[in-house]
């Protein structure tokens, strides 16, 4: 392992007139400080220069592997002389290494025994090779082929036998029905006994035939079981050794905080009862930067992370766009590493609905229609209780409801439907389930669309590393469909109607922003685009069957943008 070399980069830009922030950046939700913006610009100028890296950030045709962007970070720091500069880092590896000057090195201990890891990986390769060798053994392949063939034949033969017995049973029933007209009671009783015995004989013969076919398979089954038992044992051994190595690696990430205290990744996750840390925890830019700063007695001032290059096919990442630290890997360990620093308040704990007005636009004995403001919860959250639901409870303290039939994202404004009891709730909820509800949203998109209308079909699932954001995933994602129609084209923006066919989390936001969707994020989308004064997405119209009149009713709340 190379020692911690000097990665402190002085500012090229004159920053003498810029004040140092009073508190350090809250890394999960932030607006970059001016110093972070300058450091980012200088780093990006460096990245635009030719480098000796083979990593392909952009074009799949460069011959350097499939294009893949990467998260970079800057940490503005102050050295012991009081001088300001910044540190740079990238998440993960570039060209198979974490140690590329002037970027800070990996966050694991200086005496990290890479040879131990290499030895373990060689052992994994050896075990995998042994499994492959067993899979390719002629005796195993021959036995497996014979066994599969006999099983397929047995299925056909047994199905033929079942059909034969079924036909015989029908004939016996028909015979019994016909004979019941001419036979006396004793003769009919004897015939029923005979037919019952024939049915038992059929079941016995079928079972005997089944055993006979299994016995034909048995010699091959024994050979296959022997080989597969060996393969399973080797695979289990490899899996356990891999888990042991992962734990060992996590213990090598002995992370510092501003108080000089150390905890490894495994300790942090165990203390928080979070289970096993995700793979590569500790390799993101933010923990690398803080670890280096604390180890070199540099005072952290401000942090920012941005994406550089092409987005992955599942995520939505924009070149040069700032992004917060990830939730699953970074949030737990940054909770430890930031101890001792005066950090900005967590804006996610501040009630965004404070002083916002919630308008009830319609009410009768069954339903309540609300026009929800933007940045206001539909239902109470873990820490913030103020919401549409809680305010409706205050407005209608004597009602058995109100019960929200559906929800809107906190950032989305517009129409919400509530009912005054459970019976009416189920009546309208069924319409949502059956997709007979008509809904329409208005959205302002960042970009000018070419087509006037169309359908977006991109399956979605939650990003397990960064909840609540969503990924496009064709393997595990749920079907998500959105119809759109252009209303107006502006200089750099497009106003559209969205008609969601399904109702997945963040569906409209992802379908708008993703490269395989409209490739035009909703203006103000802080998750999939660029934050502004608000998310320009509004639930404008809804139509459904009323639970009492059983007639169609519709409601509209014009978009406030």
């Amino acid at each position: 392992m190379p020692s911690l070399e000097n990665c402190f980069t002085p500012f090229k830009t004159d920053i003498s007139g810029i004040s140092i922030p009073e508190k350090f950046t809250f890394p999960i939700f932030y607006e970059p400080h001016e110093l972070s913006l300058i450091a980012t610009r200088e780093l990006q100028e460096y990245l635009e220069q030719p480098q000796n890296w083979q990593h392909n950030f952009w074009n799949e045709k460069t011959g350097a592997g499939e294009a893949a962007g990467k998260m970079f970070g800057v940490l503005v720091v102050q050295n012991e002389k009081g001088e300001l500069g910044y540190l740079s880092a990238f998440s993960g590896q570039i060209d198979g290494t974490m140690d590329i000057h002037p970027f800070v090195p990996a966050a694991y201990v200086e005496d990290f025994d890479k040879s131990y890891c290499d030895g373990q990986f060689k052992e994994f390769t050896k075990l995998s090779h042994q499994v492959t060798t067993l899979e390719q053994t002629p005796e195993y392949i021959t036995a497996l082929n014979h066994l599969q063939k006999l099983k397929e034949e047995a299925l056909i033969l047994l199905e033929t036998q079942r059909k034969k017995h079924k036909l015989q049973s029908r004939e016996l029933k028909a015979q019994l029905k016909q004979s019941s007209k001419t036979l006396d009671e004793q003769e009919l009783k004897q015939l029923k006994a005979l037919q019952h015995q024939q049915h038992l004989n059929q079941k016995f013969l079928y079972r005997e035939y089944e055993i006979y076919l299994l016995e034909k398979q048995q010699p091959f089954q024994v050979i296959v079981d022997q080989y597969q038992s060996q393969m399973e044992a080797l695979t289990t051994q490899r899996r356990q050794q891999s888990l042991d190595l992962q734990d060992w690696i996590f213990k090598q990430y002995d992370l510092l905080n501003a108080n000089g205290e150390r905890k490894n990744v495994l300790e942090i996750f165990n203390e928080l009862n979070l289970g096993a840390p995700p793979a590569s925890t500790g390799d993101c830019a933010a923990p690398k930067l803080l670890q280096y700063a604390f180890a070199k007695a540099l005072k952290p001032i401000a942090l920012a992370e941005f994406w550089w290059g092409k987005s992955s096919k599942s995520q939505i990442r924009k070149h040069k766009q700032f992004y917060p630290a990830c939730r699953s890997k970074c949030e737990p360990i940054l909770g430890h590493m930031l101890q001792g620093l005066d950090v900005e308040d967590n804006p996610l704990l501040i009630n965004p609905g404070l002083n916002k007005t919630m308008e009830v636009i319609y009410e009768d004995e069954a339903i309540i229609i609300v026009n929800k403001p933007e940045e206001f919860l539909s239902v109470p959250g873990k820490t913030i209780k103020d919401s549409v639901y809680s305010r409706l409870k205050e407005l209608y303290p004597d009602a058995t409801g109100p019960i929200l039939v559906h929800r809107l994202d906190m950032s989305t404004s517009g129409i919400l439907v509530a009912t005054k009891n459970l019976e009416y709730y189920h009546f309208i909820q069924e319409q949502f389930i059956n997709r007979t509800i008509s809904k329409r949203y208005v959205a302002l998109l960042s970009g000018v669309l070419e087509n006037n209308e169309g359908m977006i079909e991109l399956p979605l699932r939650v990003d397990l590393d960064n909840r609540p954001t969503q990924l496009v995933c064709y393997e595990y994602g749920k079907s998500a469909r959105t119809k759109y129609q252009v209303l107006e084209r502006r200089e750099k923006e497009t106003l559209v109607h969205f008609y969601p066919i399904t109702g997945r989390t963040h569906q409209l936001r992802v379908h708008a922003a993703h490269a395989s969707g409209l490739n035009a994020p909703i203006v103000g989308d802080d998750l999939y685009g660029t934050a502004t004064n608000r998310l320009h997405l509004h639930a404008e119209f809804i139509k459904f069957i009323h639970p009492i009149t059983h007639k169609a009713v519709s409601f509209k709340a014009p978009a406030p943008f």
Side-chain angles (χ1 to χ4, degrees), residues 18-79:
I18 302 174
S19 300
I20 294 176
E22 296 181 2
K23 295 184 177 183
F24 185 71
T25 313
F26 180 73
I28 308 301
F29 191 96
Y30 64 90
E31 286 291 330
H33 185 268
E34 188 175 357
L35 290 170
S36 297
L37 293 173
I38 295 171
T40 297
R41 186 177 67 246
E42 292 188 4
L43 175 57
Q44 290 176 351
E45 289 172 355
Y46 172 79
L47 292 174
E48 286 170 349
Q49 299 171 13
Q51 306 294 339
N52 293 325
W53 308 332
Q54 296 300 309
H55 186 91
N56 180 11
F57 289 98
W58 293 106
N59 191 341
E60 296 181 8
K61 297 180 180 179
T62 61
E66 184 176 353
K70 189 168 284 291
M71 197 72 77
F72 284 80
V74 293
L75 178 65
V76 179
V77 293
Q78 189 175 46
N79 63 19

Side-chain angles (χ1 to χ4, degrees), residues 183-366:
L183 298 179
D184 60 30
E185 185 177 344
Q186 183 63 30
E187 291 174 326
L188 190 60
K189 185 177 180 181
Q190 290 175 349
L191 181 59
K192 285 182 177 180
L194 177 62
Q195 289 182 342
H196 178 66
Q197 185 60 48
Q198 287 175 329
H199 176 68
L200 294 176
N201 291 343
Q202 286 176 350
K203 290 179 67 175
F204 176 77
L205 290 172
Y206 181 85
R207 180 57 186 159
E208 287 293 303
Y209 192 43
E210 193 174 36
I211 293 171
Y212 164 72
L213 293 174
L214 286 172
E215 287 176 347
K216 287 181 66 176
Q217 300 170 23
Q218 188 61 23
F220 303 109
Q221 186 72 62
V222 169
I223 296 171
V224 168
D225 287 347
Q226 288 174 345
Y227 277 92
Q228 290 185 344
S229 176
Q230 294 178 63
M231 287 187 278
E232 185 177 344
L234 291 168
T235 302
T236 300
Q237 181 182 347
R238 187 189 187 285
R239 186 183 304 114
Q240 185 58 53
Q241 288 183 211
S242 178
L243 291 173
D244 292 343
L245 177 61
Q246 189 74 279
D247 284 352
W248 181 86
I249 291 174
F250 287 142
K251 290 177 182 177
Q252 309 313 302
Y253 285 77
D254 201 25
L255 303 176
L256 282 161
N257 63 22
N259 294 325
E261 301 163 337
R262 291 181 177 271
K263 283 184 182 179
N264 66 55
V265 167
L266 209 56
E267 288 176 324
I268 294 170
F269 273 72
N270 285 340
E271 287 177 5
L272 297 173
N273 295 315
L274 295 175
S280 74
T281 296
D283 291 338
C284 296
K288 284 183 180 181
L289 290 165
L290 289 169
Q291 182 78 347
Y292 183 90
F294 295 140
K296 299 292 282 186
L298 299 169
K299 181 182 178 181
I301 301 296
L303 173 75
E305 295 181 86
F306 63 91
W307 185 262
W308 185 265
K310 183 178 179 180
S311 177
S312 68
K313 294 179 181 179
S314 59
Q315 286 181 308
I316 297 172
R317 291 286 184 261
K318 303 294 183 182
H319 180 52
K320 294 187 177 181
Q321 180 76 43
F322 289 103
Y323 290 95
C326 64
R327 306 298 294 265
S328 66
K329 301 176 187 178
C330 290
E331 187 172 22
I333 60 179
L334 291 179
H336 158 70
M337 299 187 81
L338 293 177
Q339 290 179 22
L341 289 180
D342 192 7
V343 181
E344 295 173 346
D345 293 335
N346 181 354
L348 302 176
L349 299 179
I350 300 172
N351 179 14
L354 198 64
N355 300 322
K356 288 186 180 290
T357 302
M358 184 193 77
E359 180 187 7
V360 175
I361 62 175
Y362 178 83
E363 176 197 359
D364 62 24
E365 61 270 39

Side-chain angles (χ1 to χ4, degrees), residues 86-137:
Y86 60 89
L87 307 174
S88 307
F90 51 84
S91 292
Q93 299 182 345
I94 291 179
D95 294 350
T97 181
M98 297 189 194
D99 302 311
I100 299 177
H101 192 70
F103 301 101
V104 301
Y108 43 65
V109 294
E110 287 190 73
D111 60 349
F112 180 80
D113 187 1
K114 192 172 184 297
S115 63
Y116 174 75
C117 287
D118 292 341
Q120 289 297 301
F121 286 127
K122 287 179 181 178
E123 180 65 20
F124 298 159
T125 302
K126 179 181 175 182
L127 292 171
S128 297
H129 179 70
Q130 289 176 331
V131 172
T132 302
T133 300
L134 289 169
E135 289 175 337
Q136 297 175 350
T137 303

Side-chain angles (χ1 to χ4, degrees), residues 281-445:
T281 296
D283 291 338
C284 296
K288 284 183 180 181
L289 290 165
L290 289 169
Q291 182 78 347
Y292 183 90
F294 295 140
K296 299 292 282 186
L298 299 169
K299 181 182 178 181
I301 301 296
L303 173 75
E305 295 181 86
F306 63 91
W307 185 262
W308 185 265
K310 183 178 179 180
S311 177
S312 68
K313 294 179 181 179
S314 59
Q315 286 181 308
I316 297 172
R317 291 286 184 261
K318 303 294 183 182
H319 180 52
K320 294 187 177 181
Q321 180 76 43
F322 289 103
Y323 290 95
C326 64
R327 306 298 294 265
S328 66
K329 301 176 187 178
C330 290
E331 187 172 22
I333 60 179
L334 291 179
H336 158 70
M337 299 187 81
L338 293 177
Q339 290 179 22
L341 289 180
D342 192 7
V343 181
E344 295 173 346
D345 293 335
N346 181 354
L348 302 176
L349 299 179
I350 300 172
N351 179 14
L354 198 64
N355 300 322
K356 288 186 180 290
T357 302
M358 184 193 77
E359 180 187 7
V360 175
I361 62 175
Y362 178 83
E363 176 197 359
D364 62 24
E365 61 270 39
I367 61 175
I368 307 164
I369 308 299
V370 171
N371 185 11
K372 184 184 88 69
E374 79 282 0
E375 299 304 325
F376 189 55
L377 292 169
S378 295
V379 296
K382 291 181 179 179
T383 56
I384 300 171
K385 304 305 177 186
D386 188 21
S387 62
V388 172
Y389 176 80
S390 62
R391 292 197 189 181
L392 286 177
K393 292 292 285 184
E394 292 175 1
L395 286 173
Y396 304 93
D398 299 326
T400 55
I403 306 169
L404 286 182
V405 183
H406 60 123
R407 302 180 186 181
L408 293 176
D409 290 345
M410 181 180 73
S411 299
T412 305
S413 59
I415 293 177
L416 271 177
V417 180
T419 63
K420 291 188 174 180
N421 64 37
L422 199 58
E423 178 187 353
Y424 300 149
Y425 164 81
H426 286 306
F427 183 87
I428 300 177
Q429 179 67 15
E430 187 175 358
Q431 296 176 61
F432 274 92
I433 293 171
N434 295 331
R435 298 176 184 172
T436 58
I437 297 276
S438 296
K439 293 183 292 180
R440 185 175 72 227
Y441 289 74
V442 178
L444 183 63
L445 306 184

